[in-house]
Amino acid sequence: MKNVFIHSTALVETDQIGEGTRIWAFAHVLSGASLGKNCNVGDHCFIEGGAWIGDQVTMKNGNMVWEGIRIEEGAFVGPHVFFTNDLYPRSQRIPQSRKRYAKKENWLLPTLIKKGASLGAGAMILAGVTVGEFSMVGASALVTKDVPPYALVVGAPARVRGWVCECGLPLRFKQGKATCADCGLRYRARGSRIAVVDPSR
Ligand SMILES: CC(C)(COP(=O)(O)OP(=O)(O)OC[C@H]1O[C@@H](n2cnc3c(N)ncnc32)[C@H](O)[C@@H]1OP(=O)(O)O)[C@@H](O)C(=O)NCCC(=O)NCCS
Ligand SMILES: [Zn+2]
C-alpha cells in the first residue's frame, strides 16, 4: 500500500487501502474492508469486512461501519454516527433465528451514502436507506427513509427541512431558483427535487 499512514496503535487487516489514506489511533479495519484514496479515518473507528468506502471520505472519531455499508467519494461522516445493517436483529446464537441467519440475503440490508453527503454527529442511519448526493443529515437525526440529493434533514424521524449547496451552505429558493451566496453554484427546483444548473456538467 503506497503512501498510507497507519497509526502504530491501529489494527489494519485489509490491504485494500488507497494511496494517501490515513488511519488514526485505535482504529480497527477488518480483512475484506475496502477504503479509497486520500481518506481520513479518525480514532476508534471500526470498519468491518464487506464495508466499502470511496475516495476522499472524512470519517471522524468513533464510527462503526458494518458489512453492507457503502460510502461514496467525498462523503463526511461526523463523530459517532450509527450505521445498521439488519432491520429485525436477533442473536444468531439462539435456535429460533438459525434458519433466518443461515443466508445473508435474509437479513443483510445494504445502505448507501452517496457522493459528497454529510452525516452529522450522532446521526442514526437505518439499514436499507440511500442518503442522496450532497445531502446533509443534522446532528442526532434518525434517518428511516431515503434522503433526496441536496436535502437538509433533521429530527427523529428525519424530515426535509431545507436544501444545501455542494459547498455545504444553505440555499434559499425564489421561484424555483437558487444561487449559493458563497460559491455561486446555481440550482433549479424540479418538483420536490433540486438539481444543479450548469451547462458544463
Ligand atoms: C441541521 C443544521 C445543519 C441546521 O443548522 P441551521 O440551519 O443553522 O439551524 P438553526 O441553528 O438556524 O436552527 C433552526 C431550527 O432547527 C433546530 N435544529 C438545528 N439543528 C437541529 C438538529 N440537528 N436536529 C433537530 N433540530 C435542529 C433549531 O433548534 C431551530 O429550531 P427552532 O426554529 O424551533 O428554534 C445543524 O444544526 C446541524 O445539526 N449540523 C450538523 C453539525 C455536526 O454534526 N457537525 C459534525 C462535525 S463536528
Ligand atoms: Zn455553495
Side-chain angles (χ1 to χ4, degrees), residues 41-122:
V41 175
D43 290 12
H44 295 283
C45 286
F46 173 81
I47 303 177
E48 203 173 43
W52 188 94
I53 295 169
D55 298 340
Q56 291 150 1
V57 168
T58 295
M59 188 172 293
K60 305 303 276 188
N61 297 1
N63 279 286
M64 284 173 267
V65 187
W66 314 110
E67 175 172 18
I69 312 296
R70 190 176 170 90
I71 302 176
E72 288 188 348
E73 65 184 88
F76 172 90
V77 181
H80 291 277
V81 170
F82 294 92
F83 294 97
T84 57
N85 65 5
D86 182 359
L87 263 191
Y88 298 94
R90 284 282 194 234
S91 169
Q92 301 187 17
R93 279 153 195 85
I94 58 171
Q96 296 93 324
S97 72
R98 202 163 289 148
K99 185 162 174 273
R100 186 166 158 249
Y101 284 100
K103 277 193 192 157
K104 233 174 232 178
E105 60 265 34
N106 288 349
W107 61 271
L108 186 91
L109 209 48
T111 293
L112 177 59
I113 310 300
K114 299 275 281 184
K115 172 177 152 184
S118 297
L119 308 178

